[in-house]
């Protein structure tokens, strides 16, 4: 099933963890509609700007899968409103930092997180789009402190 011109449902529901653990990762009809909005407002503009395939490292997570991997209880991945993008290692020259900076400067998003990495490049980029259209444009940086992940304002 196509969510948009360049995004298939299989790309956002693929999960090795779900397969290994025998957990269903099928979105509800409402979550599919949310993903279509995210695809139109976030994924497609990124894809069209860079002109290369965009790698989604994490998309939809059923509640059971989210619990099994220790995800946040309020994760927008569980509602079809968030994706994680990881372009590092791709042969096309697009980096996670380039994706982050493009989103920050050009798109209307709910939340974006510079996930770990260095000051020069995140390990991946988390971005969400609130299905009601009320975007916070919140930008955070995820860091490990004392073995725990904390989220700080991006500066």
């Amino acid at each position: 099933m196509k969510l948009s011109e360049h995004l298939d449902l299989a790309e956002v529901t693929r999960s090795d963890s779900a397969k290994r653990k025998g957990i269903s990762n099928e979105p509800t009809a409402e979550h599919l509609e949310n993903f279509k909005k995210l695809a139109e407002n976030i994924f497609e503009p990124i894809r069209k700007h860079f002109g290369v395939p965009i790698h989604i490292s994490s998309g939809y997570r059923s509640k059971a899968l989210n619990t099994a991997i220790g995800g946040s209880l309020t994760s927008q991945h569980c509602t079809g409103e968030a994706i994680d993008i990881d372009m590092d290692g791709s042969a096309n020259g697009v980096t996670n930092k380039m994706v982050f900076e493009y989103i920050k400067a050009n798109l209307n998003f709910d939340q974006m997180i510079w996930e770990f990495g260095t000051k020069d490049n995140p390990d991946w980029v988390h971005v969400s789009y609130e299905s009601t259209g009320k975007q916070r444009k919140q930008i955070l940086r995820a860091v490990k402190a004392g073995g725990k992940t904390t989220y700080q304002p991006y500066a």
Side-chain angles (χ1 to χ4, degrees):
M1 171 185 193
K2 295 286 257 183
L3 297 172
S4 67
E5 181 181 356
H6 297 102
L7 187 61
D8 290 324
L9 177 61
E11 291 177 81
V12 298
T13 58
R14 177 186 65 244
S15 170
D16 291 338
S17 295
K19 284 180 192 173
R20 277 193 308 276
K21 297 174 184 292
I23 297 171
S24 172
N25 199 39
E26 291 300 314
T28 66
E30 177 185 351
H31 297 163
L32 283 173
E33 289 306 310
N34 293 346
F35 261 123
K36 288 177 183 176
K37 291 175 186 174
L38 184 144
E40 175 186 334
N41 292 283
I42 302 293
F43 182 86
E44 286 299 331
I46 296 167
R47 172 70 168 79
K48 288 177 180 159
H49 173 75
F50 290 106
V52 300
I54 302 301
H55 177 70
I56 297 174
S57 58
S58 183
Y60 182 72
R61 294 183 201 147
S62 65
K63 294 277 186 195
L65 175 59
N66 194 58
T67 299
I69 66 167
S72 165
L73 296 176
T74 59
S75 175
Q76 287 177 289
H77 286 281
C78 296
T79 57
E81 296 175 316
I83 55 174
D84 292 343
I85 298 171
D86 187 359
M87 295 301 291
D88 286 352
S90 63
N92 55 40
V94 176
T95 66
N96 292 336
K97 181 179 182 178
M98 291 166 67
V99 171
F100 184 92
E101 293 299 336
Y102 173 76
I103 295 168
K104 184 175 144 191
N106 297 285
L107 301 181
N108 190 22
F109 57 89
D110 185 49
Q111 184 183 67
M112 186 168 60
I113 305 172
W114 179 290
E115 297 276 4
F116 310 105
T118 67
K119 66 178 180 64
D120 297 320
N121 199 51
D123 287 341
W124 70 90
V125 177
H126 168 93
V127 62
S128 67
Y129 186 83
E130 219 292 325
S131 61
T132 65
K134 297 177 183 174
Q135 311 309 318
R136 295 175 288 171
K137 292 208 70 153
Q138 180 183 50
I139 304 175
L140 303 171
R141 181 183 300 264
V143 295
K144 287 278 186 195
K148 291 189 75 171
T149 300
T150 61
Y151 297 91
Q152 305 167 348
Y154 178 81

